[in-house]
Amino acid sequence: MRQFIILLLLITGLNTGFAQQQRSEVQTKSSLAIRYYNAKDFEKAAPLLKEVYELTRNSTYFRYYINSLISLNEFAEAESELQREIKKQKTPRPEYYVHLGQVYKSQNRNEEALLMFQDAISKIPANRGAYLTTANSFLGWGEYGLARDTYLKGRATLPEESFNYELARSHLYLRDYTNMMEEYLNLLREDEKHLARVQSSLSSAMRLDIDDGLRDQFRGQVLKRIQAEPRIIGYNRLLIWFFLQEKKFSSALRQSVALDKRTGAEDGQIAQLGDMALRNKEYAQAQKAYEYLMDKGEETPYFSQAYARNIHAKYMEYTNEGGGNLEQGQALATDFENGLLYLSIGPATLNLVREYAHLLAFYLDDTEKAITVLEKGEKVPQLKPEELGLLKTEMADIYVYADDPWEAMLIYSQVIEANKKNSLGDEVKLKKAKLGYYMGNFSWAKAQLDVLKASTSKLTANDAMELSMLIGNNLNLDTTAVPLTMFAKADLRFFQNKSDEAMTILDGLAELYPYHSLVDNILFRKAKIEIDNQNYAMAAEYLQTIVTDFSYDLLGDDALYLLAEIYNYHLGQEEKAKELYKQMLTSYPGSVFTEESREKYRELRKVYPDKEPENKEGLFMRAIEEAEF
């Protein structure tokens, strides 16, 4: 008995080992076959694909094999192989007739091909899977009209199967946007659970919308459905999604509010809409979204969140667009005071505490009250080192504003010591080094900055490198270091939000040293000041000079990215912005702004497609290959 068990174990082990070896062999051969196939080396791919198919009976490998034979003009062999496979089948498999039709079509035997394709459709068994397999075979050969016909027959044969999603895809390939939209809307009518799938598919379709025809058509068809079938909420949600894709936050909010009045369940969507508008610097729409939630009363779960976010949105609007209006700043300070009184100072409101303190000091010149507010924040129990560090960093910044650099230096050092294991430590080291630079301690500041070039934070490392190079390139050019000292003083005034003083210093520097290597830096600082003053056209002029005349210099990518942002968000020239984002990708591929530029370029390209680098048909088909279905 013992010998029998040992023998059985040996046989089992041998079989397992053989199976593993066979799997490994199939994986190796299939990988090699696909590599040859993708490289269009069909002569090497064909025999391997045939071998893998015979081992696995996977129909995909067989289709690749037939396509390889077609590409090699070995039509007789392809036909022979297909006839042989068809004869082996007890029940006809329609996809093999599709392959055979393609062999005929490749020889311009079009009538025979059409008969074979029709034969394939007629042989489909009455089940959903068979219709999908056959249609996918047509799609694989680029026969989109026949794939559509297959789904339509499936719908007629199997009344319980709508094939809405599949038909929509085939209509997309045929660029029949009207029927594509009808199928997607019918899918939503069936069940709103399909909404995410429809949104994803439409997003892909809109990337293929070369002539912008789909967007206008989409809006019209959805609105017509909303009017005809008001009970289908999915249509409204789809329209809101569309407006958000187009960054039409006002329209999206109007639709969301109307829908909420019907369902009473859109609070989460409206809160997200407000956050999205805020990220896109649409401050007014963000505030409207938050205020709508607040108007629903304190009992709504989103009330406190909306209250805090609304104050934050006002702060972002004021600091980015209205910082010179003292009356508006005082009103905002009152909002902060009331908000912190209602919400109380705690871990969830520390961001408001910092923003309130910054407003008081840098915009209302009330440093004493700003520090008092921060001290209240520091008393919140059990703060994490990073949370406390952020409050202390703001306090140090305020001391820099108040021309008390030594107190600021001391607090920066405390924050660095307490935050050695997180990114805040490096960020504050950069602030401390900048303070040394403002004070004229250039050699010391440069030594600190050189260490920070190795920071794990890409932005910190980039800023450190730029300031280090600024100091290194200009420190030894003049024995008195007067130009760099003047420039550092202008930077300090800019940090202190004293833009007029900074501009005066920069003007004087440019006049005294018109050919100094600081020229591009002076232009860049002037652009930042004009942005603060909302003089965006003047800022764009300064930045354009850098892009045109100093693109090779350190600030080339900074200037180009900032110029794109101005055109995108302030000058209403989004198509121009798109081209500048694209230029970032080609001119500065290693820039810290590359990823953001790529994302914004892709978004704008949906609305402003690139000028045709190839014919429209080629562009459309290339986009189809990239689309995710």
Side-chain angles (χ1 to χ4, degrees), residues 307 311 331-344 356:
Y307 194 170
I311 296 173
L332 179 56
T334 301
D335 287 339
F336 269 112
E337 193 162 347
N338 293 336
L340 289 171
L341 189 63
Y342 175 81
L343 298 168
S344 74
Y356 183 28

Side-chain angles (χ1 to χ4, degrees), residues 55-73:
L55 288 170
T56 64
R57 305 305 291 177
N58 185 313
S59 59
T60 300
Y61 291 113
F62 187 73
R63 183 170 69 80
Y64 288 171
Y65 169 53
I66 295 299
N67 193 37
S68 296
L69 294 178
I70 291 173
S71 300
L72 293 168
N73 293 326

Side-chain angles (χ1 to χ4, degrees), residues 365-575:
D365 199 28
D366 192 346
T367 55
E368 186 176 340
K369 187 172 183 180
I371 289 172
T372 300
V373 168
L374 289 170
E375 286 173 343
K376 288 180 181 178
E378 290 176 359
K379 292 177 183 176
V380 173
Q382 299 180 329
L383 287 181
K384 297 175 184 176
E386 195 168 3
E387 292 173 327
L388 182 59
L390 287 168
L391 294 172
K392 282 184 169 293
T393 300
E394 186 62 48
M395 185 178 289
D397 288 348
I398 291 171
Y399 279 117
V400 174
Y401 172 86
D403 288 322
D404 190 349
W406 300 112
E407 186 67 25
M409 192 75 77
L410 176 63
I411 297 174
Y412 283 145
S413 298
Q414 291 172 354
V415 176
I416 293 166
E417 182 64 27
N419 290 273
K420 292 178 178 178
K421 296 182 180 179
N422 58 53
S423 60
L424 180 61
D426 277 358
E427 290 174 24
V428 179
K429 284 178 186 177
L430 179 61
K431 283 179 173 286
K432 185 177 177 182
K434 283 184 176 180
L435 180 54
Y437 156 74
Y438 297 149
M439 295 167 69
N441 298 328
F442 299 126
S443 297
W444 178 86
K446 187 177 185 307
Q448 310 306 308
L449 293 164
D450 287 342
V451 174
L452 284 170
K453 291 178 189 177
S455 172
T456 53
S457 167
K458 197 170 181 181
L459 283 173
T460 299
N462 186 67
D463 287 348
M465 181 185 70
E466 286 188 359
L467 186 53
S468 173
M469 291 185 70
L470 171 73
I471 295 171
N473 291 342
N474 294 282
L475 186 58
N476 298 318
L477 292 179
D478 298 88
T479 54
T480 61
V482 171
L484 186 59
T485 301
M486 289 179 68
F487 190 79
K489 187 175 289 187
D491 266 351
L492 173 59
R493 293 292 179 262
F494 181 63
F495 176 81
Q496 292 172 328
N497 203 29
K498 298 173 181 177
S499 298
D500 291 344
E501 293 181 33
M503 186 66 86
T504 300
I505 296 170
L506 291 171
D507 286 340
L509 180 56
E511 186 175 340
L512 287 170
Y513 303 94
Y515 304 109
H516 199 276
S517 59
L518 283 166
V519 170
D520 59 325
N521 299 89
I522 293 170
L523 290 168
F524 191 76
R525 294 303 190 274
K526 284 187 172 185
K528 297 291 286 285
I529 291 170
E530 296 297 0
I531 290 170
D532 272 9
N533 294 331
Q534 300 180 61
N535 297 327
Y536 300 112
M538 181 60 72
E541 285 186 27
Y542 288 133
L543 293 169
Q544 186 62 60
T545 301
I546 298 174
V547 170
T548 303
D549 298 336
F550 301 96
S551 60
Y552 56 86
D553 222 326
L554 191 63
L555 290 172
D557 60 329
D558 299 72
L560 182 59
Y561 180 75
L562 190 54
L563 185 60
E565 293 281 278
I566 288 174
Y567 279 118
N568 192 16
Y569 293 109
H570 301 293
L571 296 181
Q573 296 185 43
E574 293 182 342
E575 191 165 9

Side-chain angles (χ1 to χ4, degrees), residues 251-263:
S251 299
L253 180 58
R254 187 165 55 250
Q255 289 290 329
S256 297
V257 167
L259 185 58
D260 186 61
K261 289 178 178 177
R262 291 174 58 191
T263 68

